[in-house]
Amino acid sequence: MGMKAKHFGLVGVGVLVGVAASFQLSAHAQKAGAPLPLDELRQLADVYGLIKTDYVEPVEDKKLLSEAIGGMVASLDPHSVYLDPKAFRDMREAVQGKFVGVGVEISNEDGYIKVVSPIEDTPAFKAGIKPGDLITRIDNVPVRNMSSDEAIKRMRGKVGSKVTLTIARPGEDKPWVVPIARQEIKVVSVKAKMVEPGYAWLRISQFQENTLDELAKKTKELYAEQPDIKGLVLDLRNDPGGLLPGAIGVSAAFLPQPDQVIVSTKGQVADSNQEFYGRREFYAQRGDPLAGLPAGLKSVPMVVLVNGGSASASEIVAGALQDYQRAIVMGSRTFGKGSVQTLRQLSEDTAIKLTTARYYTPKGRPIQATGIEPDMRVDESADGDLLNALRVREADLQRHLAAEGEKKETATEAASKDQNPSLAQQQRALALLKDRKPIEFGGQDDFQLAQAIKHFKGLPVQLAKGVPDEDKPAPAPLPGAEHKLPELKAPPKK
């Protein structure tokens, strides 16, 4: 089924937990033929009337109705949400890759606001906030049972203004208070450099409107600097998602054939059942940002680095390149955000973001609640994967959407070979991380990047602790060995 231009989508904005979304600005409509539950609607009207007549003080109609809509949508799953005018405006700013705030990705966990990850080079990152931290107060206002959207609103503000966060870190006796000056957060979508002669590093931190243009620019610069690149590392660690066309385009940039399925969706409505290909009309409305890419991108040996913070769009890319055996996926299991949120505009400045489908890799593997399992499990450091004990994954979220045909308990168990960490494991991880600087992706001390380079060179790769011998991959090719792409076969039609 073809993709129209209006299907350009979001795969993670706002809260930046890794939301995958198809961006359709169409008016909402009741499904044809679905009967209205009249008794329940009368009960809702009765409650509304009682509040208007009997509540201790007057309540505005707009507030009651907005809260009713918000509560109804939010009860479905962690990613369906009502967008009031400010939230709708903030969402559009995030798509453009800039907003004013502290730069932290959050989720709602047991009534508290939990940090998924601080965004690189932002005030939150520089203040030492880490994944797994709980935000208990914002400007001394308790966040217990506060929605993620409300927490985001309170952390947003004018450039230079300050917000005070109270942070509770598991394993530490006392919370700590950190004042942070808000800044305009401009997320740099693509970074690239030559790690050493012959080996390139390309990082996508978030999929935005300009990601494909930046990808084209950076890859051309890499090949201008060194035309005979022998190995390229695509770094998607802690990439929470972004725009669906960006994920399609990035996958298409490395796949030799444009007619390959990149991702498919399945849902209740016929329009939700689609296949998305690596052709221009699926990733660009006008022009072709991938025109003129270096030819070497189609055949250069690749490693894709992922971790528990890789979500949505980054999982689509990793899954596609893995299914077609175009790249080795290395790291730890990804977040598992594989549901589609369709944006239905209610008015000029309000909308609901509603879960309408699940995402599947080209071979039909579900992403939702299970994530992408790497080909080579490699810890984040020689000491182990410490942050995995602190990370929240999709399967950990309350009311998360299970994988198709699975009960939530089954999906949660399948979500990870890294079983839920014990309190002792979390405390050990926190103790070891307490005085450790955040990992600089692409830096000299980037352990996983070093293992990727070893793989290219045919040297032994230090696999994750506890990986049994039967799960270890075949030896990497020796230095100078010819790298051949496997035959690309189209996946079965669904």
Side-chain angles (χ1 to χ4, degrees):
M1 183 182 298
M3 171 187 169
K4 305 299 183 184
K6 67 177 182 180
H7 289 106
F8 279 71
L10 300 167
V11 194
V13 295
V15 179
L16 294 179
V17 184
V19 175
S22 166
F23 191 30
Q24 297 177 325
L25 292 179
S26 58
H28 76 295
Q30 185 189 358
K31 188 177 179 181
L36 289 170
L38 296 180
D39 289 342
E40 287 77 9
L41 289 174
R42 287 193 188 99
Q43 190 175 51
L44 177 62
D46 289 343
V47 172
Y48 178 84
L50 285 170
I51 294 173
K52 292 295 292 182
T53 58
D54 293 9
Y55 188 63
V56 65
E57 60 185 25
V59 184
E60 293 181 0
D61 292 340
K62 186 175 181 179
K63 173 179 171 58
L64 279 177
L65 293 172
S66 294
E67 293 293 337
I69 295 170
M72 178 167 53
V73 177
S75 70
L76 301 173
D77 63 67
H79 309 298
S80 293
V81 64
Y82 168 65
L83 301 172
D84 63 15
K86 186 177 186 305
F88 192 28
R89 183 171 61 252
D90 290 344
M91 184 207 68
R92 286 184 289 193
E93 289 177 355
V95 170
Q96 296 170 352
K98 61 180 181 180
F99 58 91
V100 176
V102 300
V104 64
E105 303 154 20
I106 62 173
S107 68
N108 205 295
E109 179 80 4
D110 294 329
Y112 288 101
I113 302 301
K114 191 167 189 176
V115 175
V116 175
S117 178
I119 301 173
E120 294 176 57
D121 302 323
T122 63
F125 183 87
K126 294 173 182 177
I129 293 177
K130 297 179 180 179
D133 285 348
L134 293 177
I135 300 175
T136 60
R137 290 174 178 263
I138 302 174
D139 283 334
N140 210 32
V141 176
V143 303
R144 179 69 175 168
N145 296 323
M146 182 183 291
S147 69
S148 297
D149 283 340
E150 178 62 24
I152 289 172
K153 290 177 187 177
R154 291 180 177 273
M155 287 189 282
R156 297 276 175 91
K158 295 181 179 179
V159 174
S161 63
K162 288 189 176 181
V163 59
T164 301
L165 303 182
T166 303
I167 305 294
R169 184 165 288 170
E172 295 193 0
D173 296 334
K174 296 180 180 180
W176 53 289
V177 179
V178 53
I180 302 178
R182 298 180 178 95
Q183 293 180 5
E184 183 178 52
I185 309 299
K186 294 182 180 179
V187 182
V188 178
S189 181
V190 182
K191 298 179 180 178
K193 68 177 181 180
M194 297 302 301
V195 178
E196 58 178 79
Y199 301 103
W201 172 77
L202 181 73
R203 171 158 177 75
I204 301 177
S205 59
Q206 185 181 338
F207 291 81
Q208 302 169 353
E209 288 181 347
N210 61 348
T211 294
L212 296 182
D213 291 325
E214 290 186 18
L215 175 76
K217 177 183 177 183
K218 295 294 185 181
T219 53
K220 289 174 184 177
E221 289 174 353
L222 287 174
Y223 274 87
E225 180 180 348
Q226 190 156 3
D228 55 344
I229 295 176
K230 295 183 288 186
L232 186 147
V233 177
L234 178 60
D235 190 347
L236 301 178
R237 290 172 295 178
N238 284 1
D239 182 331
L243 293 171
L244 174 59
I248 295 171
V250 169
S251 302
F254 299 105
L255 289 172
Q257 302 174 21
D259 289 331
Q260 300 297 311
V261 173
I262 304 298
V263 66
S264 62
T265 60
K266 294 180 186 178
Q268 180 180 191
V269 182
D271 284 349
S272 297
N273 301 313
Q274 297 195 50
E275 291 181 332
F276 299 83
Y277 294 81
R279 300 192 296 266
R280 184 208 60 80
E281 61 264 30
F282 287 89
Y283 59 77
Q285 289 180 298
R286 58 181 67 87
D288 188 352
L290 303 184
L293 284 180
L297 287 183
K298 301 294 186 181
S299 58
V300 62
M302 287 183 66
V303 167
V304 178
L305 291 179
V306 296
N307 63 9
S310 306
S312 309
S314 52
E315 293 177 287
I316 289 172
V317 173
L321 297 181
Q322 185 181 56
D323 273 7
Y324 290 122
Q325 300 178 44
R326 176 63 187 88
I328 291 292
V329 177
M330 181 182 292
S332 56
R333 185 182 285 270
T334 60
F335 184 83
K337 180 63 190 75
S339 61
V340 181
Q341 278 71 51
T342 299
L343 196 69
R344 303 290 193 189
Q345 196 158 350
L346 303 177
S347 68
E348 185 178 349
D349 56 359
T350 63
I352 62 170
K353 194 166 55 176
L354 189 67
T355 299
T356 57
R358 293 176 174 89
Y359 277 117
Y360 295 82
T361 71
K363 288 187 177 180
R365 294 184 294 148
I367 296 172
Q368 174 61 21
T370 57
I372 302 297
E373 176 68 22
D375 301 300
M376 302 179 73
R377 292 174 62 82
V378 173
D379 289 333
E380 65 177 13
S381 73
D383 298 328
D385 216 351
L386 301 177
L387 283 176
N388 257 344
L390 307 175
R391 285 194 176 100
V392 178
R393 285 183 168 82
E394 175 73 15
D396 300 322
L397 301 179
Q398 291 182 346
R399 303 186 313 278
H400 74 271
L401 182 68
E404 183 182 11
E406 290 183 309
K407 295 180 179 179
K408 283 195 175 182
E409 293 79 9
T410 305
T412 302
E413 291 169 3
S416 136
K417 291 182 180 177
D418 342 286
Q419 300 173 349
N420 290 331
S422 65
L423 179 60
Q425 287 174 313
Q426 293 184 36
Q427 290 176 333
R428 175 179 174 274
L430 285 165
L432 292 171
L433 288 169
K434 188 173 182 180
D435 298 321
R436 178 182 292 182
K437 293 181 180 179
I439 296 173
E440 180 188 352
F441 293 145
Q444 291 183 346
D445 298 326
D446 189 336
F447 178 77
Q448 289 175 321
L449 175 58
Q451 301 312 302
I453 302 302
K454 284 184 177 181
H455 172 73
F456 288 137
K457 295 179 177 180
L459 301 174
V461 172
Q462 183 173 328
L463 297 178
K465 299 180 186 301
V467 175
D469 289 340
E470 59 267 24
D471 288 346
K472 293 180 179 179
L478 296 175
E482 181 181 5
H483 292 272
K484 292 184 179 179
L485 283 174
E487 180 184 357
L488 298 182
K489 296 181 180 179
K493 297 289 184 181
K494 293 173 284 297

